[in-house]
Amino acid sequence: MKDRVISTPLADEVVESLHAGDRLLITGVIYTGRDAAHKRLVELIDRDEPLPVDLKGQIIYFVGPTPPKRGEVIGSAGPTTSGRMDVFSPKLTAIGLKGMIGKGSRNNAVKDALKRDKAVYLGATGGAGALLAQRIASAKVVAYEDLGPEAIRELEVKEFPVVVINDMYGGDLYVEGRKKHERKGES
C-alpha cells in the first residue's frame, strides 16, 4: 500500500476521502497541544473568547517534545496517549479542528464528534520520537509558553507519517484490526 501525501490545512473533501487504515504523509503546518493546553483552549471556547491560534482546518499533534540539542529544530517528538484529550476534543472539532494525531484509542464521544464535524484521528508510532522529529522542519511556540514542553507550537512538517485510526464514517482501525486477527473458535 502506497502512502498518500496530504497537505494542511485540511479541507472537508480531503477528510471525506480518508478511511481507517489509510497511511498518510502530512506536509504543511500542524500544531502541538497536550492536556494542559487543551484545558485552556476549551476554557476560552466556553467563555466565547478568541483562541490564540485559528484551529479551523488544522491538525493538533498530542506531543510534548524534548528540548532540542544544538543544531536541531526540535527534540524527540513522539506522540502522547490521546485519551487524556478525550474530554476536550469534541469542543475543538466543533469549532473546525479537522485532525488529531496521537497514540491509543479514543472514546465514543470523540468518535461521534469526528462523524458530526467531519474530522479524523490519526496515529503516530509511539517510541519513534527521534525519527518523527526528523520530519519537522521548523518549530516555534505560538501560545502558552509557560507550559514548557506542553506549550502550543506551530510545526512545519514534511511527509510526517501517520495512519488513519478513526475516520468520519465510524471506521476504527483498532476494532477492525482485532476482528481481522482474532482466532475463530473451533467447532
Side-chain angles (χ1 to χ4, degrees):
M1 178 192 316
K2 188 174 185 227
D3 294 346
R4 178 176 164 198
V5 178
I6 63 169
S7 299
T8 61
L10 298 182
D12 281 349
E13 297 77 36
V14 172
V15 175
E16 291 166 357
S17 74
L18 301 176
H19 299 280
D22 290 353
R23 294 183 346 196
L24 309 174
L25 297 171
I26 302 170
T27 296
V29 170
I30 64 175
Y31 292 93
T32 68
R34 287 180 36 167
D35 30 334
H38 276 69
K39 182 176 188 295
R40 290 185 185 180
L41 292 171
V42 167
E43 287 170 349
L44 290 173
I45 292 168
D46 288 345
R47 293 193 306 259
D48 200 27
E49 294 179 17
L51 300 183
V53 292
D54 183 2
L55 294 177
K56 286 185 180 66
Q58 300 299 335
I59 297 173
I60 291 183
Y61 181 24
F62 305 147
V63 62
T66 62
K69 293 178 183 159
R70 186 179 308 227
E72 292 180 343
V73 170
I74 196 166
S76 182
T80 195
T81 303
S82 302
R84 295 199 316 263
M85 274 55 73
D86 281 359
V87 68
F88 308 113
S89 293
K91 286 197 177 183
L92 296 176
T93 60
I95 63 159
L97 182 70
K98 290 295 174 187
M100 296 164 277
I101 304 170
K103 67 178 182 181
S105 58
R106 307 304 302 271
N107 70 19
N108 287 334
V110 172
K111 293 176 194 179
D112 290 344
L114 297 177
K115 291 183 224 176
R116 178 192 72 209
D117 302 319
K118 291 187 179 180
V120 290
Y121 170 57
L122 310 166
T125 304
L131 291 172
L132 291 170
Q134 294 174 9
R135 301 297 180 106
I136 300 170
S138 68
K140 67 179 178 184
V141 174
V142 293
Y144 310 138
E145 188 170 4
D146 61 301
L147 295 178
E150 292 197 39
I152 296 177
R153 287 173 172 73
E154 181 182 281
L155 305 181
E156 183 182 338
V157 297
K158 180 143 176 61
E159 297 190 349
F160 191 88
V162 296
V163 175
V164 178
I165 304 298
N166 299 111
D167 60 36
M168 62 172 274
Y169 304 105
D172 186 325
L173 184 61
Y174 296 141
V175 170
E176 293 165 18
R178 279 191 291 274
K179 284 180 185 173
K180 183 177 176 181
H181 296 287
E182 68 187 8
R183 291 190 121 155
K184 303 290 181 209
E186 295 184 59
S187 17

